[in-house]
């Protein structure tokens, strides 16, 4: 559409102003308003958005009674100029006071879109459902762009089944319009669009444990060029055989049941927020309670209390080191994860994303959770990141690194317990400070560089090397049972949050680095991911079967 020349607009606006004054001088107020509305509406129809917000505001402030169409055009101008709150107020003023017509239904859609962009997804859904119901009752077609936002609204509020249904409708409608089938979709000129939508359609299926369907959709998405779908499909498809193999063996069931008895938590249904969940874990987790009680035993109180003190000192030292630098502000994703994980509680210091080609996430003894950029790219889904953060938060809150080192050294029966802990925590401190600074784009001063081990200058190389060595570099490697405990608590956390326990299973499956190495379970103190996934799938299927019997 051709845009209006601003000079012409100014001249015509002056003409309208003069005409309005003349009409007002003859007390022809309604005619003056009609003249003004007609012209300004014409400008709105031309979608000259840089100007239309002010014009729309002028219309609404100076004209008492406006046609629905004009109000709709004003709402459109508010929406496109990103004045979402004003758009909602304007839409609501008509929705609640005027007869419900097709124009009012369009205002309902606009209000839903505005709430969507404000990330008020629950409110957005209310308007979308009203809009769709009107269209259904009156035989009208749905706006496809709105349907896409509605699908992501359901996805972002973890209604996987509803999101799946809407994604399916969108894709089928688009295929019909493009005269395509699912088999030849990758030849479409819109293959990128199809690849993105089908990928998220696949995730909504996988998060409901519909693995076969999800894998098939990932395969189609990857054919459309979606790189993330291709990588996810490659990992999941190659892993499924090994997980099924270990899952059906009866000899593992007794071990699984033992882990459930030992580490499962029966949290009350009254818990609604993340903060309440972690508060319940800290006060009711048997291992945490036992650890705090053992501090009172004379035989071990001193070394354990010293270890607790060492962690507190390490946190203080880390804060002191980092206070010398201007640390970058957390990004939206990091802030969002922190907020959802603890609801603003002070259980965790922070969540940071750092640059690395190794897919990993870990918690330091000082309360930071670090996620590698490559893992963020692989997941491409906030619920999966939140699930893996819950696992790492469990390690931190349950003092797993401290307990494992202490128990390991206790078995050796020597007097080096505290020295080993100190070495491990000091290494963690240096690595944590380095990652923190590197992720913030900080240039090290010469004085700071001299305080660090020379091996830490090349951070990317050293981090990858450390992870390849299975965290021994940090000296807080977790035991088999600690990993399974963290898995189980993360699984329950996802259930409580409404994400669904399968979200954590999927997050774990996608790590996929040691799938197929099932025999390692017999020789190693560290469980393979395949074993851990099989354990969680055992729980999922057992509880689903029990729920079906109750129905």
């Amino acid at each position: 559409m051709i845009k209006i020349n601003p000079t012409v607009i100014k001249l015509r606006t002056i003409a309208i102003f003069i005409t309005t004054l003349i009409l007002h001088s003859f007390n022809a107020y309604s005619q003056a308003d009609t003249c003004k509305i007609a012209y300004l509406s014409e400008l709105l129809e031309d979608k000259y958005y840089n100007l239309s917000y002010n014009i729309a505001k002028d219309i609404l402030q100076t004209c008492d009674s406006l046609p629905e169409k004009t109000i709709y055009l004003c709402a459109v101008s508010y929406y496109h100029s990103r004045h979402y709150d004003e758009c909602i107020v304007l839409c609501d003023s008509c929705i609640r006071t005027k007869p419900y017509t097709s124009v009012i239904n369009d205002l309902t859609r606009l209000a839903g879109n505005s709430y969507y962009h404000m990330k008020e997804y629950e409110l957005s859904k209310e308007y979308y459902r009203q809009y769709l119901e009107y269209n259904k009752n009156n035989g009208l077609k749905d706006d496809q762009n709105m349907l896409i936002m509605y699908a992501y609204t359901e996805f972002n509020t973890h209604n996987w089944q509803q999101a799946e249904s809407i994604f399916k409708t969108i894709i089928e409608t688009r295929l019909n319009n493009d005269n395509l089938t699912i088999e030849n979709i990758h030849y479409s000129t819109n293959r990128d669009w199809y690849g993105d939508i089908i990928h998220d359609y696949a995730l909504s299926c996988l998060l409901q444990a519909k693995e076969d369907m999800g894998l098939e959709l990932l395969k189609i998405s990857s054919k459309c060029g979606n790189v993330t779908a291709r990588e996810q499909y490659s990992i999941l498809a190659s892993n499924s055989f090994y997980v099924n193999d270990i899952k059906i063996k009866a000899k593992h069931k007794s071990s699984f049941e033992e882990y459930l008895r030992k580490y499962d938590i029966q949290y009350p249904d009254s818990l609604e927020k993340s903060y309440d969940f972690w508060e319940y874990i800290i006060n009711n987790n048997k291992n945490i309670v036992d650890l705090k009680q053992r501090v009172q035993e004379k035989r071990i109180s001193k070394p354990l209390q010293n270890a607790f003190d060492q962690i507190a000192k390490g946190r203080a030292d880390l804060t002191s080191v980092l206070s010398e630098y201007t640390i970058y502000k957390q990004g939206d994703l990091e802030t969002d994860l922190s907020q959802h994980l603890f609801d603003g509680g002070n259980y965790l210091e922070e969540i940071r994303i750092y640059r690395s080609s190794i897919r990993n996430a870990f918690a330091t003894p000082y309360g930071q959770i670090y996620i590698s950029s490559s893992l963020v790219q692989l997941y491409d889904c906030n619920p999966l990141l939140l699930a893996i953060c819950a696992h790492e938060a469990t390690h931190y809150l349950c003092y797993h690194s401290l307990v494992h080192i202490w128990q390991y050294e206790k078995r050796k029966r020597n007097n080096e317990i505290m020295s080993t802990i100190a070495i491990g925590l000091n290494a963690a401190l240096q690595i944590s400070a380095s990652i923190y600074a590197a992720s913030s784009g900080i240039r090290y001063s010469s004085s700071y560089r001299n305080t660090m081990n020379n091996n830490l200058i090349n951070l990317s190389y050293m981090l990858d090397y450390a992870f390849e060595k299975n965290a021994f570099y940090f000296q807080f490697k977790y035991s088999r049972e600690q990993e399974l405990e963290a898995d189980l608590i993360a699984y329950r956390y996802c259930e409580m949050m409404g994400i669904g326990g399968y979200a954590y299973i999927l997050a774990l499956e996608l790590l996929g680095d040691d799938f197929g190495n099932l025999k390692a379970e017999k020789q190693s103190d560290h469980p393979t991911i395949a074993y851990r996934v099989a354990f969680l799938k055992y729980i999922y299927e057992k509880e689903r079967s029990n729920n079906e019997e109750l129905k």
Side-chain angles (χ1 to χ4, degrees):
M1 186 173 291
I2 300 174
K3 291 184 179 179
I4 302 172
N5 187 310
T7 304
V8 174
I9 289 175
K10 289 180 182 178
L11 292 173
R12 291 177 66 183
T13 303
I14 293 171
I16 283 186
F17 177 72
I18 294 171
T19 304
T20 303
L21 286 177
I22 293 172
L23 289 169
H24 272 283
S25 67
F26 289 101
N27 295 325
Y29 299 113
S30 62
Q31 291 172 310
D33 283 350
T34 300
C35 174
K36 191 172 187 178
I37 290 169
Y39 172 65
L40 296 179
S41 295
E42 177 189 339
L43 293 184
L44 286 169
E45 289 279 16
D46 277 295
K47 299 182 180 179
Y48 191 68
Y49 297 132
N50 291 334
L51 181 65
S52 64
Y53 170 73
N54 293 327
I55 294 174
K57 205 170 185 67
D58 189 24
I59 290 176
L60 295 168
Q61 289 175 347
T62 59
C63 302
D64 296 328
S65 180
L66 295 171
E68 290 178 359
K69 181 65 175 176
T70 304
I71 293 175
Y72 171 72
L73 293 171
C74 290
V76 169
S77 74
Y78 280 6
Y79 176 76
H80 283 287
S81 57
R82 300 185 181 181
H83 291 80
Y84 299 126
D85 48 354
E86 292 181 74
C87 179
I88 291 167
V89 171
L90 178 57
C91 292
D92 274 344
S93 68
C94 291
I95 294 169
R96 302 183 191 286
T97 59
K98 295 181 180 292
Y100 206 89
T101 63
S102 60
V103 176
I104 299 300
N105 199 44
D106 286 334
L107 287 170
T108 302
R109 172 176 53 81
L110 272 182
N113 290 353
S114 297
Y115 274 124
Y116 174 85
H117 289 297
M118 294 169 69
K119 297 185 178 181
E120 297 284 352
Y121 299 122
E122 292 295 343
L123 292 170
S124 179
K125 282 195 289 189
E126 293 179 17
Y127 288 88
Y128 285 155
R129 288 169 181 167
Q130 188 174 347
Y131 168 83
L132 292 169
E133 184 178 357
Y134 179 88
N135 284 356
K136 181 180 179 181
N137 294 337
N138 292 274
L140 300 174
K141 290 184 178 181
D142 300 325
D143 180 89
Q144 290 299 298
N145 290 330
M146 185 284 299
L147 272 182
I148 293 172
M149 285 193 277
Y150 183 31
Y152 284 112
T153 295
E154 295 289 4
F155 190 92
N156 291 332
T157 51
H158 315 141
N159 294 311
W160 313 126
Q161 186 174 5
Q162 185 67 10
E164 175 198 348
S165 176
I166 302 169
F167 280 130
K168 182 180 179 181
T169 299
I170 292 168
I171 293 165
E172 288 177 347
T173 301
R174 186 64 175 268
L175 285 172
N176 184 57
N177 292 340
D178 292 348
N179 196 26
L180 292 169
T181 64
I182 201 73
E183 289 76 19
N184 61 13
I185 194 173
H186 52 285
Y187 294 119
S188 169
T189 55
N190 297 315
R191 66 195 301 265
D192 291 343
W193 181 89
Y194 278 116
D196 292 343
I197 291 291
I198 293 175
H199 171 253
D200 295 329
Y201 180 19
L203 285 180
S204 65
C205 293
L206 290 168
L207 288 161
Q208 298 176 77
K210 297 180 178 180
E211 292 195 345
D212 291 341
M213 185 176 180
L215 280 173
E216 185 59 32
L217 290 169
L218 284 179
K219 186 177 180 180
I220 295 169
S221 176
S222 66
K223 286 184 177 180
C224 291
N226 189 292
V227 176
T228 302
R230 183 181 298 120
E231 200 159 6
Q232 290 174 342
Y233 175 77
S234 175
I235 294 171
L236 295 176
S238 62
N239 296 340
S240 58
F241 168 80
Y242 297 107
V243 175
N244 291 334
D245 179 58
I246 195 172
K247 182 173 57 178
I248 62 175
K249 292 181 180 178
K251 65 180 181 180
H252 293 103
K253 290 185 179 180
S254 59
S255 297
F256 292 164
E257 287 294 339
E258 178 62 25
Y259 294 139
L260 274 171
R261 284 191 293 270
K262 218 171 170 183
Y263 299 117
D264 201 7
I265 52 165
Q266 300 300 323
Y267 60 87
D269 294 336
S270 58
L271 299 185
E272 295 181 354
K273 295 183 177 181
S274 293
Y275 181 88
D276 298 328
F277 178 87
W278 297 114
E279 184 80 12
Y280 184 83
I281 293 296
I282 290 171
N283 293 326
N284 295 276
N285 180 276
K286 184 178 181 300
N287 295 308
I288 297 177
V289 173
D290 288 348
L291 180 64
K292 291 180 178 178
Q293 289 177 346
R294 297 192 75 183
V295 172
Q296 307 304 318
E297 298 177 20
K298 291 183 179 180
R299 181 170 56 87
I300 61 174
S301 61
K302 186 174 181 180
L304 266 183
Q305 187 59 58
N306 286 345
F308 280 117
D309 294 343
Q310 185 68 28
I311 286 181
K313 182 179 184 302
R315 180 181 295 154
D317 290 345
L318 178 61
T319 302
S320 175
V321 169
L322 297 177
S323 66
E324 301 177 18
Y325 304 94
T326 304
I327 304 303
Y328 88 116
K329 185 180 179 182
Q330 281 185 308
D332 291 341
L333 177 56
E334 294 162 318
T335 302
D336 185 63
L337 289 172
S338 298
Q339 177 61 36
H340 280 85
L341 189 61
F342 287 109
D343 283 326
N346 59 354
Y347 288 127
L348 195 73
E349 292 294 322
E350 62 186 351
I351 296 174
R352 290 284 180 179
I353 297 169
Y354 68 97
R355 189 181 302 278
S356 175
S357 59
I358 298 294
R359 294 170 191 146
N360 199 39
F362 63 92
T364 72
Y366 315 113
Q368 294 91 6
I369 291 177
Y370 290 105
I371 310 171
S372 69
S373 56
S374 55
L375 185 61
V376 173
Q377 291 167 1
L378 174 67
Y379 281 168
D380 194 28
C381 177
N382 285 13
L384 299 184
L385 289 170
L386 187 62
I388 214 70
C389 283
H391 173 92
E392 298 305 329
T394 301
H395 282 316
Y396 167 62
L397 293 174
C398 292
Y399 301 102
H400 281 171
S401 59
L402 169 71
V403 170
H404 184 61
I405 294 172
W406 180 78
Q407 290 177 343
Y408 176 75
E409 292 299 329
K410 184 178 65 172
R411 289 196 298 267
K412 292 173 61 176
R413 297 186 177 184
N414 60 30
N415 296 321
E416 299 176 356
I417 293 176
M418 283 312 301
S419 63
T420 301
I421 291 176
I423 291 170
L425 296 183
N426 184 57
L429 169 62
Q430 291 185 342
I431 289 289
S432 299
S434 302
I435 299 171
Y436 198 122
S439 66
S440 306
I442 297 169
R443 294 181 178 179
Y444 298 117
S445 65
S446 57
S447 60
Y448 177 66
R449 191 181 295 115
N450 291 336
T451 66
M452 304 294 287
N453 188 306
N454 290 332
N455 291 334
L456 301 180
I457 295 175
N458 190 341
L459 290 175
S460 177
Y461 172 77
M462 290 306 299
L463 281 172
D464 289 353
Y465 176 78
F467 296 144
E468 287 174 3
K469 292 300 181 183
N470 212 8
F472 276 110
Y473 185 84
F474 298 101
Q475 294 296 313
F476 49 83
K477 178 177 179 281
Y478 305 123
S479 70
R480 172 195 299 131
E481 296 204 6
Q482 286 176 336
E483 287 290 4
L484 293 170
E485 180 184 21
D487 288 339
L488 189 50
I489 291 177
Y491 181 91
R492 296 304 186 201
Y493 170 81
C494 290
E495 283 185 332
M496 190 279 300
M497 286 292 290
I499 299 172
Y502 219 86
Y504 181 68
I505 293 177
L506 181 58
L508 202 56
E509 279 187 298
L510 285 170
L511 290 179
D513 55 352
D514 63 351
F515 267 78
N517 190 22
L518 300 182
K519 293 182 180 179
E521 174 60 21
K522 297 178 181 179
Q523 289 89 26
S524 173
D525 191 45
H526 194 79
T528 64
I529 291 181
Y531 188 88
R532 293 160 62 188
V533 169
F535 170 52
L536 295 173
K537 285 191 174 182
Y538 172 79
I539 298 170
Y540 176 83
E541 291 173 3
K542 175 184 175 181
E543 294 178 350
R544 183 175 64 174
S545 177
N546 291 342
N547 290 335
E548 288 175 355
E549 289 178 5
L550 290 174
K551 292 178 181 179

